[in-house]
Amino acid sequence: MTKNKNHITPPSLAEKLLLWFLKEELAEEVLGDLDEKFYTTLNKNNLSKAKRNYWFQVINYMRPFAFKFLRSKLFNNTAMVKHNFKVSYRQLLRNKVYSVINIGGLAMGLTVAMLIGLWVQDELSFNKYHKNYNNIYQLLRVNTDPDGIYVNTSLTTAMGTYLKTNYPDMIESASMVRARPQDMVFAYGENKFRQIGLFVEPEIPEMLSLEMIRGTKDGLADLRGVLLSETFSKKLFGDENPMNKLVKLNAEADLIVKGIYRDIPNNSEFENAGYLARMELIVGPDNMNIWSNYNAYVYVQLKDNVNPEPLLSSINEAYLPNFNEYAIESQMKFIMHPMKDWHLRSEWTDGKPSTSQAMSFLWLYGIIGVFVLVLACINFMNLSTARSEKRAKEVGIRKTLGSLRKQLISQFYIESFLCSFLAFILSLGLLTALLPWFNETANKEILAPWSNTSFWILSISFLLLTAILSGSYPAIFLSRFKPIKALRGGLKVGKHASLPRKVLVVFQFTISIALIIATITVSNQIEMAKNLPMGYDTEDLLAISPASPDFVDKRHIIREEILKTGMVTAVGHSNYPVTNDRGWNPGFTWEGMDPTFTNSFNTISISSGYADAVGMKFIMGRNFDENLESDKRAIIINRSAMEAMNLENPVGMMVTYNPRWREARTYEIIGVVEDMIKNSPFERTYLSVMFQDEGYMSWMYIKLNPSVNKAEAIPAIEKVYSSILPEAPFDFTFAEDDYAKKFDAERRVSRLSQFFSILAVLISCLGLYGLTSYVAEQRTKEIGIRKVLGASVINLWKLLSKDFTFLVLIASVISIPLSYQVLDSWLDTYEIRTNLSWWIFTAGALGGLIITLITVSFQSIKAATANPVNSLRSE
Amino acid sequence: MKETKLGDFEETLLLLVGILDKEAYAFKIAEEFESQTQRAVSIGAVHSTLNRLSEKGFLTSEMGEATAERGGRRKRIYSITAHGERVLKESRDFKLSLWNQYPAFATGKLNFIFE
């Protein structure tokens, strides 16, 4: 064809593409047809249409029949490929045990890696649900207190209001949220539910890009408006349309439902927000611009391309004139904490970001995942290569019959692809089966990644890698044999051929033993904390915080009435729950106090029945007596406080308490109790002071009478309760359960580490089992001859087991210092930690050894007891 | 063994090859298909099917002469084999037998004219 510029021709790029993939012998007719089509279209329509159509036609020629690549030189006829598959399949069937070990082991490894990969992915994608992810910041304050630099999340409302009104050119939107999610009771008709949610400003739904199912994002413009999550609205309203219905908040305020938003996913900072209501409702409309009370979180969404730094320095300056004494004294500064750092980078030491626990776990699990996967792959390669050595004869025969080296290579690769593909399918099944369990254990809501392209690309490329690595040894090494050598059996497998295999076994068992040790340590740590004396007794103890404004006034009547039922032994009130450490105050002075003493005290108020209800243990002195007027100015302290205050005999001592919010008062210490574990059991107990009946006594503790059946006692209490507080739901918890929640995080680590170590051990054992049987098989004749010459079964067992036992011993020697290092630094993150005593390491090593011996013995005893006639006869 | 079933598209193409006779090459067949059925089809799809029909033995083909509008390239002319004709006939007979068993047609309520 002439390439004349005046002459219109089909697009040359499309033509090139066509010629690139099209079979040569089709080129002429196809090009001709397409040319004709092109000029016909050109005559009927215009040039661009003709060109577009030409492209369309070319792309439509991408069909199997027209491709030249599908006739690769390697697979020039399908019969050969089919034959290869058939042979591979028969190999798998003939060595069932090997196939199961090989494929099963790899599948397990893949499953673990996938689970961990999904988990890591979920952790890294935290908060990404919110579309303004990249622009949202939380304003934090840094205070330099006498005992260290602290980063705090709670600010004053005036700081938020100032920020909102003064930087319209940099800030897209800003909102305050009442510090800590609030637990409130919502009532609609007869339905009353306690729910955690947020008290916010109207900008929040837009800022967090909530998906509205009903209503709009500006539903909170109305001070009495409330937005509910989908789940909570279903719970409260059932199938009714909730829009514009009135709900009662804590039996006090009537709110109007202005919208329903889709539940915020589990991997968001705001996941537990079951409702959003106006912050003014609990702070008070007049308190939205004060500089003294630190009760608000401040979130800012910057405009695109705004740098937080200049804004920050401007804020730091602007706030300065409004600082109170404390703020100036502590050199209060502000930082902007970007949303992408909230989940994994939210821990601070001395005002500087430090590696958070979440981040450490991310690394820990990531490393474990990689290790388990590597273990499985090592096995897979190890076994495949070990097996393939047996097939030297097959290679010899194939070569004599005229096989090309290429064909042998493709045969071995096809086999390893088949194995890894089967393992992959199996692991997908395992993943589906394990995901619900994993989600529950890890407290996640991860979905199966079936529609995630990067998951498929990653898994398949990994699969190909494994297949190529494990297939390469037989494919490249074995196919090189001279047929005569291979057939004669003179195949020398060099003296050092088994060295890599030995190294791999050592590596596997190092990891397995380290994981066994870690599992023991983690559960030790939990057990130790669980067995610490709590200082109180949670058994049969009900905790309830009635959601009623009348409760505080009616609490004495309720107590009397509940005691009258005879179902309980004691009822007491407090202003904070016994299972957490809220209430935190400095300002205590006493005679003989060390002037450098700066500690704060955990301060709570209790009623006289409280000590009996929760079972406080008095070391000295006595409990409060309601009837003694003087006890209104009395306190009880705990053992830690007594020791920290350096008092020998504190009962009768006078202590002055000067909180900033009221005048100083002097109290007499009337009793000392054992420390009570109210915060994390892994931290030291705080210095604690208890007052009688001061503050807002919103908690009630009821000790059930142990001689009464719980199923009788609870309905009886509920009856009394509901008759006095009809507006509040009777939603109590068992203090025992509340206490158990303190171990949630550690229990999670424990269960996951158990799971991983069991898998790692299992995978290593599978590998070892495969290897021993391979060795035993190779030495069948040797064993036969030894037996004929009089070796006993024990002798032979020793012969076969000794090598592997030695390897495992080396593994223990390596893994002990390694695991000590890691575990010691993990335990260092706890104030209260278990000891890493020697027996844990011995147990780990011994465990590894016993498992090895059992695994190895299976094969070695089988080989040792076999009849030598059978092994020697065959030649 | 190659499959000898005839699909709907295959049957139409086979008939078109018969109709076009000496002009039966991929581009013309695709044009004819579009004009007869008012449905768009790519030459590639037609070519692929013609290829399959040849593999099944319903068609043979040979290179025809070159023409100027194809830049001097030759075209592949397809023609129906005896086997192809037999299969076409069988397909028609089968459908006719179905039509005959259709009561509405049998009682003459539907008016179709055949051959």
Side-chain angles (χ1 to χ4, degrees):
Chain A
M1 198 171 69
T2 48
K3 290 265 172 195
N4 187 340
K5 275 203 173 162
N6 301 323
H7 186 67
I8 299 168
T9 55
S12 63
L13 192 65
E15 221 175 270
K16 269 186 196 145
L17 174 70
L18 182 71
L19 288 174
W20 175 69
F21 70 75
L22 196 67
K23 284 177 185 162
E24 285 88 356
E25 67 266 28
L26 288 179
E28 182 175 5
E29 51 186 291
V30 170
L31 278 175
D33 281 352
L34 292 195
D35 265 21
E36 240 179 283
K37 177 77 189 173
F38 178 75
Y39 293 116
T40 320
T41 321
L42 188 63
N43 286 336
K44 267 194 236 156
N45 297 291
N46 53 19
L47 178 65
S48 68
K49 174 113 196 218
K51 280 192 173 165
R52 235 180 303 135
N53 184 270
Y54 194 88
W55 272 105
F56 167 77
Q57 298 293 356
V58 168
I59 288 164
N60 259 293
Y61 254 103
M62 295 189 174
R63 288 158 190 277
F65 88 99
F67 270 117
K68 57 175 146 193
F69 312 112
L70 287 183
R71 256 186 346 186
S72 130
K73 280 145 206 155
L74 192 59
F75 304 138
N76 59 356
N77 63 52
T78 46
M80 195 68 215
V81 178
K82 269 190 196 156
H83 164 82
N84 282 347
F85 270 107
K86 195 180 275 173
V87 170
S88 311
Y89 172 69
R90 285 178 182 162
Q91 277 285 341
L92 287 183
L93 280 191
R94 194 168 67 206
N95 306 304
K96 283 200 191 65
V97 179
Y98 284 103
S99 310
V100 168
I101 290 175
N102 220 2
I103 295 173
L106 185 62
M108 272 192 261
L110 281 174
T111 313
V112 174
M114 282 178 197
L115 283 176
I116 292 181
L118 288 174
W119 184 80
V120 168
Q121 153 86 15
D122 187 82
E123 286 285 289
L124 292 178
S125 66
F126 228 82
N127 288 329
K128 280 200 178 145
Y129 170 77
H130 307 292
K131 293 203 179 69
N132 302 316
Y133 176 76
N134 287 316
N135 290 349
I136 296 180
Y137 295 81
Q138 185 178 9
L139 194 66
L140 305 179
R141 65 185 159 97
V142 185
N143 294 91
T144 310
D145 288 341
D147 52 340
I149 305 173
Y150 292 100
V151 176
N152 285 297
T153 49
S154 52
L155 308 184
T156 68
T157 45
M159 291 172 184
T161 306
Y162 185 90
L163 196 71
K164 283 177 78 159
T165 43
N166 285 286
Y167 302 95
D169 50 328
M170 301 172 98
I171 290 176
E172 179 71 40
S173 106
S175 173
M176 285 185 273
V177 172
R178 167 63 213 234
R180 281 200 303 274
Q182 305 286 315
D183 198 357
M184 294 283 175
V185 169
F186 280 77
Y188 174 71
E190 285 302 296
N191 286 347
K192 284 175 272 185
F193 295 106
R194 190 175 279 279
Q195 175 66 39
I196 290 179
L198 298 174
F199 286 85
V200 301
E201 289 191 289
E203 293 88 346
I204 273 281
E206 185 67 50
M207 189 195 279
L208 298 182
S209 64
L210 297 186
E211 293 171 54
M212 300 304 293
I213 298 173
R214 289 170 190 269
T216 56
K217 287 181 192 165
D218 53 15
L220 291 179
D222 183 347
L223 190 58
R224 295 201 307 149
V226 63
L227 305 182
L228 304 178
S229 77
E230 194 180 1
T231 308
F232 186 49
S233 135
K234 281 238 171 66
K235 209 165 137 193
L236 203 56
F237 290 96
D239 295 329
E240 249 180 278
N241 179 0
M243 287 299 286
N244 297 317
K245 294 262 163 59
L246 285 179
V247 289
K248 224 170 182 62
L249 170 68
N250 265 16
E252 274 176 296
D254 281 313
L255 302 181
I256 311 162
V257 179
K258 286 289 191 182
I260 307 297
Y261 54 88
R262 207 173 287 288
D263 291 355
I264 302 174
N266 171 284
N267 62 352
S268 158
E269 189 77 13
F270 303 95
E271 58 129 340
N272 51 13
Y275 58 84
L276 299 175
R278 284 289 287 271
M279 187 174 167
E280 285 89 336
L281 292 172
I282 51 170
V283 176
D286 308 329
N287 292 337
M288 293 297 284
N289 195 7
I290 41 175
W291 285 96
S292 56
N293 196 353
Y294 296 89
N295 58 358
Y297 295 150
V298 177
Y299 299 104
V300 191
Q301 179 194 344
L302 297 186
K303 284 193 164 33
D304 287 337
N305 305 322
V306 167
N307 187 350
E309 288 310 318
L311 175 63
L312 200 56
S313 48
S314 152
I315 292 172
N316 272 325
E317 246 167 67
Y319 284 174
L320 210 52
N322 299 299
F323 280 174
N324 59 13
E325 212 177 296
Y326 167 71
I328 296 167
E329 216 171 89
S330 63
Q331 303 163 31
M332 185 136 72
K333 277 265 180 300
F334 295 87
I335 50 174
M336 302 265 258
H337 195 34
M339 194 178 219
K340 62 175 176 359
D341 289 351
W342 288 0
H343 182 57
L344 292 172
R345 293 183 190 83
S346 272
E347 280 175 33
W348 320 83
T349 353
D350 290 336
K352 297 266 173 294
S354 59
T355 316
S356 67
Q357 187 113 0
M359 199 64 157
S360 324
F361 276 125
L362 197 69
W363 277 107
L364 185 70
Y365 286 142
I367 291 170
I368 291 180
V370 170
F371 271 151
V372 173
L373 188 60
V374 168
L375 286 193
C377 287
I378 288 175
N379 264 345
F380 186 68
M381 291 171 202
N382 230 344
L383 275 179
S384 320
T385 49
R387 287 306 297 164
S388 64
E389 277 171 18
K390 282 200 70 181
R391 296 176 64 186
K393 281 216 171 75
E394 182 192 330
V395 171
I397 293 197
R398 278 175 184 277
K399 279 201 158 180
T400 1
L401 293 179
S403 269
L404 294 175
R405 181 152 178 235
K406 260 185 210 159
Q407 288 168 331
L408 285 171
I409 289 179
S410 76
Q411 157 76 44
F412 282 116
Y413 274 130
I414 281 180
E415 214 170 298
S416 68
F417 274 110
L418 195 67
C419 279
S420 45
F421 184 69
L422 287 177
F424 180 56
I425 301 283
L426 197 61
S427 70
L428 290 183
L430 280 174
L431 182 68
T432 324
L434 282 177
L435 207 54
W437 170 86
F438 184 76
N439 273 337
E440 200 205 309
T441 311
N443 194 20
K444 289 274 178 199
E445 283 168 17
I446 301 170
L447 296 175
W450 307 145
S451 57
N452 186 339
T453 12
S454 48
F455 164 77
W456 291 107
I457 293 175
L458 210 68
S459 331
I460 288 180
S461 43
F462 178 78
L463 209 67
L464 292 183
L465 188 76
T466 323
I468 289 173
L469 283 181
S470 66
S472 287
Y473 170 79
I476 292 168
F477 180 65
L478 287 182
S479 63
R480 206 190 286 150
F481 290 155
K482 294 266 179 305
I484 183 109
K485 233 182 174 179
L487 281 176
R488 200 173 49 197
L491 176 61
K492 283 274 180 298
V493 193
K495 209 175 173 187
H496 300 293
S498 63
L499 188 68
R501 218 167 287 146
K502 282 181 181 162
V503 173
L504 294 174
V505 169
V506 170
F507 181 69
Q508 282 190 336
F509 272 86
T510 307
I511 292 172
S512 298
I513 291 172
L515 279 173
I516 295 176
I517 295 172
T519 312
I520 299 176
T521 312
V522 172
S523 72
N524 261 357
Q525 169 76 355
I526 296 175
E527 279 309 307
M528 184 257 345
K530 266 192 197 159
N531 295 334
L532 286 177
M534 293 160 67
Y536 54 106
D537 184 9
T538 53
E539 210 187 330
D540 294 337
L541 182 61
L542 301 189
I544 184 165
S545 172
S548 163
D550 296 341
F551 171 66
V552 176
D553 294 335
K554 289 186 177 168
R555 66 183 197 273
H556 297 294
I557 313 169
I558 294 187
R559 185 178 148 202
E560 291 314 313
E561 291 299 317
I562 291 178
L563 282 172
K564 262 187 217 160
T565 60
M567 304 282 186
V568 304
T569 52
V571 177
H573 303 281
S574 63
N575 62 342
Y576 288 122
V578 69
T579 42
N580 81 26
D581 61 349
R582 306 240 295 266
W584 207 232
N585 282 294
F588 289 86
T589 45
W590 60 93
E591 209 184 322
M593 178 176 115
D594 180 354
T596 58
F597 189 92
T598 53
N599 285 344
S600 290
F601 284 75
N602 177 231
T603 53
I604 65 164
S605 263
I606 62 174
S607 74
S608 60
Y610 180 86
D612 296 326
V614 305
M616 295 191 329
K617 296 184 176 62
F618 281 88
I619 321 170
M620 283 175 222
R622 60 176 176 86
N623 187 10
F624 292 121
D625 186 344
E626 271 179 300
N627 305 318
L628 277 179
E629 190 57 29
S630 63
D631 273 9
K632 292 228 162 80
R633 286 298 177 82
I635 53 172
I636 297 172
I637 61 172
N638 70 354
R639 184 190 280 274
S640 291
M642 175 178 83
E643 282 161 8
M645 290 162 83
N646 216 356
L647 300 175
E648 280 291 310
N649 191 6
V651 176
M653 288 254 332
M654 300 307 276
V655 172
T656 308
Y657 175 40
N658 180 15
R660 283 159 208 249
W661 39 271
R662 64 156 167 75
E663 83 286 6
R665 284 182 198 152
T666 305
Y667 295 85
E668 182 190 353
I669 299 175
I670 58 163
V672 181
V673 291
E674 282 291 358
D675 285 347
M676 294 158 72
I677 299 177
K678 303 175 73 181
N679 50 315
S680 162
F682 301 104
E683 288 167 22
R684 265 192 290 282
T685 34
Y686 296 123
L687 321 182
S688 160
V689 172
M690 279 160 267
F691 300 90
Q692 187 185 207
D693 268 342
E694 283 184 21
Y696 193 75
M697 306 289 277
S698 58
W699 284 84
M700 177 161 68
Y701 283 91
I702 305 170
K703 181 78 166 182
L704 299 182
N705 188 338
S707 59
V708 178
N709 188 349
K710 268 187 216 165
E712 273 173 56
I714 292 170
I717 297 169
E718 179 174 8
K719 211 174 140 205
V720 173
Y721 179 92
S722 303
S723 66
I724 302 173
L725 294 173
E727 67 281 7
F730 182 62
D731 52 355
F732 63 91
T733 54
F734 282 103
E736 217 167 348
D737 299 339
D738 296 339
Y739 191 79
K741 284 202 185 97
K742 294 178 188 300
F743 297 93
D744 275 357
E746 281 71 22
R747 199 171 293 133
R748 207 168 291 145
V749 177
S750 159
R751 281 171 71 178
L752 286 176
S753 69
Q754 269 170 31
F755 172 65
F756 290 140
S757 47
I758 288 174
L759 267 177
V761 169
L762 204 63
I763 290 174
S764 311
C765 283
L766 280 183
L768 199 60
Y769 180 80
L771 277 182
T772 28
S773 50
Y774 162 71
V775 169
E777 224 172 283
Q778 274 205 326
R779 298 170 79 172
T780 339
K781 290 239 159 64
E782 179 195 333
I783 292 166
I785 293 172
R786 279 177 190 273
K787 268 199 115 170
V788 170
L789 295 177
S792 70
V793 173
I794 301 281
N795 283 340
L796 291 172
W797 175 74
K798 266 191 207 154
L799 175 82
L800 289 171
S801 310
K802 144 185 109 200
D803 283 357
F804 289 108
T805 314
F806 180 64
L807 292 181
V808 173
L809 278 178
I810 297 179
S812 349
V813 169
I814 301 173
S815 72
I816 287 173
L818 206 73
S819 52
Y820 179 83
Q821 274 295 321
V822 174
L823 291 172
D824 196 48
S825 61
W826 177 68
L827 286 175
D828 265 349
T829 59
Y830 294 103
E831 281 183 356
I832 310 260
R833 47 168 284 182
T834 173
N835 286 325
L836 279 171
S837 46
W838 60 270
W839 70 263
I840 298 172
F841 298 96
T842 322
L846 220 60
L849 206 63
I850 290 171
I851 292 170
T852 316
L853 278 180
I854 292 173
T855 319
V856 173
S857 300
F858 258 113
Q859 275 302 321
S860 51
I861 290 177
K862 195 172 132 200
T865 51
N867 189 344
V869 173
N870 290 332
S871 59
L872 292 175
R873 190 172 52 190
S874 68
E875 181 65 321
Chain B
M1 245 336 247
K2 284 279 174 208
E3 172 121 20
T4 51
K5 279 256 167 52
L6 201 56
D8 181 49
F9 186 59
E10 289 177 340
E11 188 176 355
T12 312
L13 287 197
L14 214 49
L15 286 167
L16 287 175
V17 169
I19 293 167
L20 289 168
D21 196 27
K22 294 276 171 264
E23 280 296 287
Y25 60 99
F27 164 68
K28 264 284 148 55
I29 297 170
E31 293 278 283
E32 190 66 22
F33 182 87
E34 285 184 359
S35 74
Q36 294 254 14
T37 63
Q38 309 301 322
R39 270 157 52 200
V41 70
S42 76
I43 302 175
V46 170
H47 196 158
S48 149
T49 310
L50 290 173
N51 190 57
R52 194 160 61 242
L53 287 169
S54 306
E55 278 174 8
K56 289 181 183 176
F58 301 157
L59 289 176
T60 57
S61 64
E62 56 186 14
M63 296 307 270
E65 82 280 16
T67 49
E69 68 261 35
R70 305 171 56 90
R73 298 191 185 87
R74 290 176 302 159
K75 47 197 166 199
R76 181 173 292 278
I77 309 284
Y78 291 86
S79 52
I80 305 185
T81 60
H83 182 36
E85 269 171 13
R86 195 165 59 245
V87 170
L88 269 179
K89 212 169 240 146
E90 271 167 19
S91 160
R92 190 197 56 179
D93 290 348
F94 172 64
K95 278 185 187 139
L96 266 179
S97 112
L98 287 182
W99 275 107
N100 285 326
Q101 294 165 49
Y102 184 10
F105 176 76
T107 54
K109 274 183 197 157
L110 292 172
N111 267 326
F112 288 100
I113 297 159
F114 284 89
E115 291 192 89

